[in-house]
mmCIF file with all atom_site columns, all heavy atoms in Angstrom:
data_model
loop_
_atom_site.group_PDB
_atom_site.id
_atom_site.type_symbol
_atom_site.label_atom_id
_atom_site.label_alt_id
_atom_site.label_comp_id
_atom_site.label_asym_id
_atom_site.label_entity_id
_atom_site.label_seq_id
_atom_site.pdbx_PDB_ins_code
_atom_site.Cartn_x
_atom_site.Cartn_y
_atom_site.Cartn_z
_atom_site.occupancy
_atom_site.B_iso_or_equiv
_atom_site.pdbx_formal_charge
_atom_site.auth_seq_id
_atom_site.auth_comp_id
_atom_site.auth_asym_id
_atom_site.auth_atom_id
_atom_site.pdbx_PDB_model_num
ATOM 1   N N   . PHE N 1 66  ? 212.696 32.382 61.417 1.00 0.00 ? 66  PHE N N   1
ATOM 2   C CA  . PHE N 1 66  ? 211.438 32.644 60.718 1.00 0.00 ? 66  PHE N CA  1
ATOM 3   C C   . PHE N 1 66  ? 210.285 32.824 61.707 1.00 0.00 ? 66  PHE N C   1
ATOM 4   O O   . PHE N 1 66  ? 209.432 33.693 61.525 1.00 0.00 ? 66  PHE N O   1
ATOM 5   C CB  . PHE N 1 66  ? 211.125 31.525 59.715 1.00 0.00 ? 66  PHE N CB  1
ATOM 6   C CG  . PHE N 1 66  ? 211.985 31.589 58.485 1.00 0.00 ? 66  PHE N CG  1
ATOM 7   C CD1 . PHE N 1 66  ? 212.987 30.667 58.268 1.00 0.00 ? 66  PHE N CD1 1
ATOM 8   C CD2 . PHE N 1 66  ? 211.796 32.585 57.542 1.00 0.00 ? 66  PHE N CD2 1
ATOM 9   C CE1 . PHE N 1 66  ? 213.785 30.723 57.137 1.00 0.00 ? 66  PHE N CE1 1
ATOM 10  C CE2 . PHE N 1 66  ? 212.580 32.655 56.410 1.00 0.00 ? 66  PHE N CE2 1
ATOM 11  C CZ  . PHE N 1 66  ? 213.581 31.727 56.199 1.00 0.00 ? 66  PHE N CZ  1
ATOM 12  N N   . ALA N 1 98  ? 206.529 39.484 53.856 1.00 0.00 ? 98  ALA N N   1
ATOM 13  C CA  . ALA N 1 98  ? 207.688 40.384 53.843 1.00 0.00 ? 98  ALA N CA  1
ATOM 14  C C   . ALA N 1 98  ? 208.638 40.064 55.000 1.00 0.00 ? 98  ALA N C   1
ATOM 15  O O   . ALA N 1 98  ? 209.868 40.082 54.835 1.00 0.00 ? 98  ALA N O   1
ATOM 16  C CB  . ALA N 1 98  ? 207.233 41.833 53.905 1.00 0.00 ? 98  ALA N CB  1
ATOM 17  N N   . LEU N 1 100 ? 209.028 37.137 56.519 1.00 0.00 ? 100 LEU N N   1
ATOM 18  C CA  . LEU N 1 100 ? 209.689 35.861 56.247 1.00 0.00 ? 100 LEU N CA  1
ATOM 19  C C   . LEU N 1 100 ? 210.769 36.022 55.179 1.00 0.00 ? 100 LEU N C   1
ATOM 20  O O   . LEU N 1 100 ? 211.866 35.478 55.302 1.00 0.00 ? 100 LEU N O   1
ATOM 21  C CB  . LEU N 1 100 ? 208.659 34.810 55.829 1.00 0.00 ? 100 LEU N CB  1
ATOM 22  C CG  . LEU N 1 100 ? 207.645 34.425 56.906 1.00 0.00 ? 100 LEU N CG  1
ATOM 23  C CD1 . LEU N 1 100 ? 206.561 33.546 56.323 1.00 0.00 ? 100 LEU N CD1 1
ATOM 24  C CD2 . LEU N 1 100 ? 208.329 33.743 58.083 1.00 0.00 ? 100 LEU N CD2 1
ATOM 25  N N   . LEU N 1 101 ? 210.467 36.785 54.140 1.00 0.00 ? 101 LEU N N   1
ATOM 26  C CA  . LEU N 1 101 ? 211.460 37.015 53.085 1.00 0.00 ? 101 LEU N CA  1
ATOM 27  C C   . LEU N 1 101 ? 212.648 37.824 53.591 1.00 0.00 ? 101 LEU N C   1
ATOM 28  O O   . LEU N 1 101 ? 213.777 37.608 53.143 1.00 0.00 ? 101 LEU N O   1
ATOM 29  C CB  . LEU N 1 101 ? 210.823 37.700 51.885 1.00 0.00 ? 101 LEU N CB  1
ATOM 30  C CG  . LEU N 1 101 ? 210.073 36.763 50.950 1.00 0.00 ? 101 LEU N CG  1
ATOM 31  C CD1 . LEU N 1 101 ? 209.294 37.563 49.914 1.00 0.00 ? 101 LEU N CD1 1
ATOM 32  C CD2 . LEU N 1 101 ? 211.008 35.789 50.275 1.00 0.00 ? 101 LEU N CD2 1
ATOM 33  N N   . ALA N 1 102 ? 212.413 38.721 54.512 1.00 0.00 ? 102 ALA N N   1
ATOM 34  C CA  . ALA N 1 102 ? 213.514 39.511 55.074 1.00 0.00 ? 102 ALA N CA  1
ATOM 35  C C   . ALA N 1 102 ? 214.518 38.596 55.782 1.00 0.00 ? 102 ALA N C   1
ATOM 36  O O   . ALA N 1 102 ? 215.728 38.802 55.678 1.00 0.00 ? 102 ALA N O   1
ATOM 37  C CB  . ALA N 1 102 ? 212.975 40.567 56.036 1.00 0.00 ? 102 ALA N CB  1
ATOM 38  N N   . VAL N 1 103 ? 214.020 37.579 56.464 1.00 0.00 ? 103 VAL N N   1
ATOM 39  C CA  . VAL N 1 103 ? 214.909 36.615 57.118 1.00 0.00 ? 103 VAL N CA  1
ATOM 40  C C   . VAL N 1 103 ? 215.714 35.864 56.061 1.00 0.00 ? 103 VAL N C   1
ATOM 41  O O   . VAL N 1 103 ? 216.930 35.715 56.181 1.00 0.00 ? 103 VAL N O   1
ATOM 42  C CB  . VAL N 1 103 ? 214.113 35.622 57.997 1.00 0.00 ? 103 VAL N CB  1
ATOM 43  C CG1 . VAL N 1 103 ? 215.007 34.496 58.498 1.00 0.00 ? 103 VAL N CG1 1
ATOM 44  C CG2 . VAL N 1 103 ? 213.468 36.347 59.162 1.00 0.00 ? 103 VAL N CG2 1
ATOM 45  N N   . ALA N 1 104 ? 215.034 35.408 55.018 1.00 0.00 ? 104 ALA N N   1
ATOM 46  C CA  . ALA N 1 104 ? 215.731 34.684 53.946 1.00 0.00 ? 104 ALA N CA  1
ATOM 47  C C   . ALA N 1 104 ? 216.773 35.580 53.281 1.00 0.00 ? 104 ALA N C   1
ATOM 48  O O   . ALA N 1 104 ? 217.888 35.135 52.993 1.00 0.00 ? 104 ALA N O   1
ATOM 49  C CB  . ALA N 1 104 ? 214.731 34.177 52.918 1.00 0.00 ? 104 ALA N CB  1
ATOM 50  N N   . ASP N 1 105 ? 216.423 36.829 53.054 1.00 0.00 ? 105 ASP N N   1
ATOM 51  C CA  . ASP N 1 105 ? 217.361 37.772 52.424 1.00 0.00 ? 105 ASP N CA  1
ATOM 52  C C   . ASP N 1 105 ? 218.638 37.911 53.256 1.00 0.00 ? 105 ASP N C   1
ATOM 53  O O   . ASP N 1 105 ? 219.744 37.897 52.718 1.00 0.00 ? 105 ASP N O   1
ATOM 54  C CB  . ASP N 1 105 ? 216.716 39.146 52.244 1.00 0.00 ? 105 ASP N CB  1
ATOM 55  C CG  . ASP N 1 105 ? 215.616 39.159 51.202 1.00 0.00 ? 105 ASP N CG  1
ATOM 56  O OD1 . ASP N 1 105 ? 215.499 38.202 50.409 1.00 0.00 ? 105 ASP N OD1 1
ATOM 57  O OD2 . ASP N 1 105 ? 214.853 40.149 51.184 1.00 0.00 ? 105 ASP N OD2 1
ATOM 58  N N   . VAL N 1 106 ? 218.492 38.049 54.567 1.00 0.00 ? 106 VAL N N   1
ATOM 59  C CA  . VAL N 1 106 ? 219.646 38.196 55.462 1.00 0.00 ? 106 VAL N CA  1
ATOM 60  C C   . VAL N 1 106 ? 220.480 36.916 55.453 1.00 0.00 ? 106 VAL N C   1
ATOM 61  O O   . VAL N 1 106 ? 221.712 36.967 55.385 1.00 0.00 ? 106 VAL N O   1
ATOM 62  C CB  . VAL N 1 106 ? 219.191 38.560 56.897 1.00 0.00 ? 106 VAL N CB  1
ATOM 63  C CG1 . VAL N 1 106 ? 220.324 38.429 57.902 1.00 0.00 ? 106 VAL N CG1 1
ATOM 64  C CG2 . VAL N 1 106 ? 218.617 39.961 56.912 1.00 0.00 ? 106 VAL N CG2 1
ATOM 65  N N   . ARG N 1 107 ? 219.811 35.772 55.519 1.00 0.00 ? 107 ARG N N   1
ATOM 66  C CA  . ARG N 1 107 ? 220.525 34.491 55.533 1.00 0.00 ? 107 ARG N CA  1
ATOM 67  C C   . ARG N 1 107 ? 221.317 34.307 54.236 1.00 0.00 ? 107 ARG N C   1
ATOM 68  O O   . ARG N 1 107 ? 222.455 33.865 54.261 1.00 0.00 ? 107 ARG N O   1
ATOM 69  C CB  . ARG N 1 107 ? 219.558 33.321 55.725 1.00 0.00 ? 107 ARG N CB  1
ATOM 70  C CG  . ARG N 1 107 ? 218.727 33.378 56.991 1.00 0.00 ? 107 ARG N CG  1
ATOM 71  C CD  . ARG N 1 107 ? 219.444 33.005 58.217 1.00 0.00 ? 107 ARG N CD  1
ATOM 72  N NE  . ARG N 1 107 ? 219.862 31.622 58.141 1.00 0.00 ? 107 ARG N NE  1
ATOM 73  C CZ  . ARG N 1 107 ? 220.667 31.057 59.023 1.00 0.00 ? 107 ARG N CZ  1
ATOM 74  N NH1 . ARG N 1 107 ? 221.118 31.750 60.030 1.00 0.00 ? 107 ARG N NH1 1
ATOM 75  N NH2 . ARG N 1 107 ? 221.020 29.818 58.906 1.00 0.00 ? 107 ARG N NH2 1
ATOM 76  N N   . ILE N 1 108 ? 220.717 34.643 53.113 1.00 0.00 ? 108 ILE N N   1
ATOM 77  C CA  . ILE N 1 108 ? 221.388 34.484 51.817 1.00 0.00 ? 108 ILE N CA  1
ATOM 78  C C   . ILE N 1 108 ? 222.540 35.475 51.693 1.00 0.00 ? 108 ILE N C   1
ATOM 79  O O   . ILE N 1 108 ? 223.616 35.132 51.199 1.00 0.00 ? 108 ILE N O   1
ATOM 80  C CB  . ILE N 1 108 ? 220.382 34.649 50.661 1.00 0.00 ? 108 ILE N CB  1
ATOM 81  C CG1 . ILE N 1 108 ? 219.402 33.473 50.652 1.00 0.00 ? 108 ILE N CG1 1
ATOM 82  C CG2 . ILE N 1 108 ? 221.077 34.797 49.330 1.00 0.00 ? 108 ILE N CG2 1
ATOM 83  C CD1 . ILE N 1 108 ? 220.010 32.111 50.415 1.00 0.00 ? 108 ILE N CD1 1
ATOM 84  N N   . ALA N 1 109 ? 222.333 36.697 52.127 1.00 0.00 ? 109 ALA N N   1
ATOM 85  C CA  . ALA N 1 109 ? 223.396 37.706 52.043 1.00 0.00 ? 109 ALA N CA  1
ATOM 86  C C   . ALA N 1 109 ? 224.625 37.278 52.842 1.00 0.00 ? 109 ALA N C   1
ATOM 87  O O   . ALA N 1 109 ? 225.755 37.595 52.459 1.00 0.00 ? 109 ALA N O   1
ATOM 88  C CB  . ALA N 1 109 ? 222.886 39.057 52.540 1.00 0.00 ? 109 ALA N CB  1
ATOM 89  N N   . ALA N 1 110 ? 224.422 36.549 53.924 1.00 0.00 ? 110 ALA N N   1
ATOM 90  C CA  . ALA N 1 110 ? 225.535 36.106 54.759 1.00 0.00 ? 110 ALA N CA  1
ATOM 91  C C   . ALA N 1 110 ? 226.188 34.825 54.245 1.00 0.00 ? 110 ALA N C   1
ATOM 92  O O   . ALA N 1 110 ? 227.258 34.450 54.712 1.00 0.00 ? 110 ALA N O   1
ATOM 93  C CB  . ALA N 1 110 ? 225.051 35.887 56.191 1.00 0.00 ? 110 ALA N CB  1
ATOM 94  N N   . TYR N 1 120 ? 219.152 32.085 44.515 1.00 0.00 ? 120 TYR N N   1
ATOM 95  C CA  . TYR N 1 120 ? 218.134 32.765 45.320 1.00 0.00 ? 120 TYR N CA  1
ATOM 96  C C   . TYR N 1 120 ? 217.702 34.076 44.663 1.00 0.00 ? 120 TYR N C   1
ATOM 97  O O   . TYR N 1 120 ? 216.508 34.360 44.574 1.00 0.00 ? 120 TYR N O   1
ATOM 98  C CB  . TYR N 1 120 ? 218.658 33.032 46.736 1.00 0.00 ? 120 TYR N CB  1
ATOM 99  C CG  . TYR N 1 120 ? 217.664 33.782 47.591 1.00 0.00 ? 120 TYR N CG  1
ATOM 100 C CD1 . TYR N 1 120 ? 216.583 33.124 48.164 1.00 0.00 ? 120 TYR N CD1 1
ATOM 101 C CD2 . TYR N 1 120 ? 217.792 35.153 47.825 1.00 0.00 ? 120 TYR N CD2 1
ATOM 102 C CE1 . TYR N 1 120 ? 215.664 33.809 48.938 1.00 0.00 ? 120 TYR N CE1 1
ATOM 103 C CE2 . TYR N 1 120 ? 216.879 35.841 48.606 1.00 0.00 ? 120 TYR N CE2 1
ATOM 104 C CZ  . TYR N 1 120 ? 215.820 35.157 49.164 1.00 0.00 ? 120 TYR N CZ  1
ATOM 105 O OH  . TYR N 1 120 ? 214.901 35.846 49.924 1.00 0.00 ? 120 TYR N OH  1
ATOM 106 N N   . HIS N 1 121 ? 218.661 34.835 44.200 1.00 0.00 ? 121 HIS N N   1
ATOM 107 C CA  . HIS N 1 121 ? 218.325 36.124 43.588 1.00 0.00 ? 121 HIS N CA  1
ATOM 108 C C   . HIS N 1 121 ? 217.505 35.948 42.309 1.00 0.00 ? 121 HIS N C   1
ATOM 109 O O   . HIS N 1 121 ? 216.625 36.766 42.015 1.00 0.00 ? 121 HIS N O   1
ATOM 110 C CB  . HIS N 1 121 ? 219.578 36.963 43.346 1.00 0.00 ? 121 HIS N CB  1
ATOM 111 C CG  . HIS N 1 121 ? 220.198 37.446 44.621 1.00 0.00 ? 121 HIS N CG  1
ATOM 112 N ND1 . HIS N 1 121 ? 219.553 38.279 45.503 1.00 0.00 ? 121 HIS N ND1 1
ATOM 113 C CD2 . HIS N 1 121 ? 221.387 37.176 45.193 1.00 0.00 ? 121 HIS N CD2 1
ATOM 114 C CE1 . HIS N 1 121 ? 220.318 38.517 46.547 1.00 0.00 ? 121 HIS N CE1 1
ATOM 115 N NE2 . HIS N 1 121 ? 221.437 37.848 46.394 1.00 0.00 ? 121 HIS N NE2 1
ATOM 116 N N   . ARG N 1 124 ? 213.955 34.927 43.718 1.00 0.00 ? 124 ARG N N   1
ATOM 117 C CA  . ARG N 1 124 ? 213.388 35.751 44.802 1.00 0.00 ? 124 ARG N CA  1
ATOM 118 C C   . ARG N 1 124 ? 211.963 36.205 44.493 1.00 0.00 ? 124 ARG N C   1
ATOM 119 O O   . ARG N 1 124 ? 211.082 36.150 45.338 1.00 0.00 ? 124 ARG N O   1
ATOM 120 C CB  . ARG N 1 124 ? 214.298 36.957 45.062 1.00 0.00 ? 124 ARG N CB  1
ATOM 121 C CG  . ARG N 1 124 ? 213.709 38.025 46.013 1.00 0.00 ? 124 ARG N CG  1
ATOM 122 C CD  . ARG N 1 124 ? 213.938 37.713 47.421 1.00 0.00 ? 124 ARG N CD  1
ATOM 123 N NE  . ARG N 1 124 ? 213.656 38.706 48.408 1.00 0.00 ? 124 ARG N NE  1
ATOM 124 C CZ  . ARG N 1 124 ? 212.543 39.416 48.583 1.00 0.00 ? 124 ARG N CZ  1
ATOM 125 N NH1 . ARG N 1 124 ? 211.562 39.359 47.729 1.00 0.00 ? 124 ARG N NH1 1
ATOM 126 N NH2 . ARG N 1 124 ? 212.415 40.224 49.609 1.00 0.00 ? 124 ARG N NH2 1
#
Side-chain angles (χ1 to χ4, degrees):
F66 286 108
L100 295 171
L101 279 171
V103 171
D105 291 346
V106 168
R107 302 283 297 171
I108 292 297
Y120 178 78
H121 291 298
R124 171 85 170 51

